[in-house]
Amino acid sequence: MSKAILTDVTKCIGCAQCVIACKAVNNLQPDNPRRWQKDDGLSADNWTSLLRKPDGHYVRKQCRHCLEPACVSACLVGAMRNTEEGIVIYNKSICLGCRYCMIACPYGIPRFDWDEPVPYVRKCIMCYPRVKAGKQPACTEACPTGATIFGERDNLLETAHNRLKKYPNRYIRKIWGEKEIGGTNVLYLSDIDLSFLSYDKELDEKSLPDETKIAMNSVPFVFIGVGALMTGLHLFTRRKNRIAQLKREKEENEDE
Ligand code: SF4
Ligand code: SF4
Ligand code: SF4
């Protein structure tokens, strides 16, 4: 049975305890924003973020742990992998750095860590080691209002359906993640439209992996080289900047 998270936007007070707990448990560094970063608060060191929306709404963003993940089918070497718990994890030791997973994800989740000397894609892993040890993810444990909760997917779907029935005027009558692109293990109830989490697109129920495979098979292998080249250029620029900085420091010391 799939493990899942249900986030109820109507219960979120925007306290960011989920964000803080994620950083602490996963040992994520203070964020180092990049100019080209998407403006959603996610980064290689921010695996979940809180989006502020009109009328006092706050929406958590994190990996949706798709039942049929496009990132997994796009990965040529199996660095992205689905587990029996339905949690999508990543193995950096075999990652090529091609970033197909980043292109394939319909929610724009995986981020590249430019500060690592080797290719390193990062995203929420639904606290896989904790879940394996019988615990719940840090974010759901930290939430003081029960706005984001953890459990078996079937049970959380039942909870969500019950809330929709009990409070027909509180929510948009939809469970985000129940069916789109084959379903996801991170589900949402909300009183505002959440299409902004998927590039303002209403995703249909068709799963993405088959389409992704066709698309990826038609991409020439030379693009993997482009990924590697970009990484190489980044490392070269970083080294050049570091040398310039050391030179400046040396000159300053000599002036004193
Ligand atoms: S949301 Fe994106 S990164 Fe997460 S499992 Fe789905 S396709 Fe992969
Ligand atoms: S499940 Fe774990 S890794 Fe994912 S956002 Fe929550 S705390 Fe972070
Ligand atoms: S901890 Fe709970 S209430 Fe606070 S921001 Fe996160 S989801 Fe919202």
Side-chain angles (χ1 to χ4, degrees):
M1 271 229 275
S2 278
K3 302 292 182 196
I5 288 177
L6 169 64
T7 293
D8 185 333
V9 172
T10 70
K11 286 173 176 269
C12 179
I13 55 172
C15 65
Q17 290 304 314
C18 49
V19 177
I20 295 164
C22 179
K23 280 226 174 227
V25 161
N26 293 294
N27 198 22
L28 301 175
Q29 301 307 305
D31 195 27
N32 188 11
R34 308 288 175 187
R35 264 184 297 138
W36 59 83
Q37 219 162 266
K38 282 186 213 124
D39 192 18
D40 62 2
L42 291 187
S43 70
D45 281 301
N46 285 352
W47 294 356
T48 183
S49 63
L50 208 51
L51 304 177
R52 198 179 184 147
K53 293 288 161 188
D55 303 322
H57 287 93
Y58 296 91
V59 181
R60 281 195 65 193
K61 183 166 182 178
Q62 65 176 111
C63 171
R64 301 289 277 268
H65 296 278
C66 306
L67 268 55
E68 298 173 61
C71 60
V72 172
S73 59
C75 183
L76 298 164
V77 292
M80 283 282 180
R81 179 170 74 81
N82 207 346
T83 61
E84 61 181 27
E85 294 83 2
I87 298 173
V88 178
I89 57 173
Y90 167 76
N91 180 351
K92 78 168 177 175
S93 68
I94 52 175
C95 176
L96 284 175
C98 65
R99 275 159 272 173
Y100 282 0
C101 54
M102 294 167 68
I103 299 162
C105 175
Y107 299 106
I109 297 295
R111 301 297 153 99
F112 201 77
D113 191 340
W114 294 95
D115 290 328
E116 286 283 322
V118 290
Y120 200 4
V121 173
R122 309 193 84 191
K123 67 165 199 73
C124 157
I125 50 164
M126 211 193 271
C127 289
Y128 187 60
R130 284 173 66 94
V131 172
K132 275 301 237 187
K135 292 194 249 175
Q136 63 169 310
C139 53
T140 55
E141 188 175 80
C143 181
T145 64
T148 190
I149 56 175
F150 174 74
E152 301 291 344
R153 186 172 191 268
D154 288 350
N155 296 343
L156 291 184
L157 276 175
E158 201 183 325
T159 303
H161 279 291
N162 287 341
R163 283 186 202 170
L164 287 179
K165 223 179 278 164
K166 195 165 172 196
Y167 306 107
N169 298 323
R170 183 183 292 177
Y171 302 104
I172 293 175
R173 297 200 61 76
K174 168 174 179 162
I175 302 166
W176 272 268
E178 182 177 22
K179 294 189 176 139
E180 304 98 280
I181 58 165
T184 65
N185 283 321
V186 172
L187 306 159
Y188 290 85
L189 281 176
S190 175
D191 56 345
I192 58 167
D193 183 15
L194 299 182
S195 304
F196 60 86
L197 292 175
S198 49
Y199 299 107
D200 292 324
K201 263 197 236 149
E202 280 255 6
L203 299 172
D204 61 27
E205 294 179 15
K206 201 166 167 216
S207 79
L208 292 177
D210 288 345
E211 289 177 27
T212 313
K213 262 184 207 140
I214 293 164
M216 291 304 157
N217 285 343
S218 64
V219 177
F221 260 75
V222 71
F223 283 115
I224 300 171
V226 172
L229 179 66
M230 282 173 73
T231 306
L233 280 175
H234 167 71
L235 293 174
F236 175 71
T237 310
R238 221 174 57 164
R239 186 167 171 273
K240 217 173 76 182
N241 290 343
R242 180 73 185 133
I243 291 169
Q245 189 194 355
L246 289 172
K247 217 166 135 196
R248 268 198 311 276
E249 283 171 10
K250 190 167 172 262
E251 282 165 5
E252 278 165 19
N253 287 339
E254 281 168 2
D255 286 348
E256 280 171 8

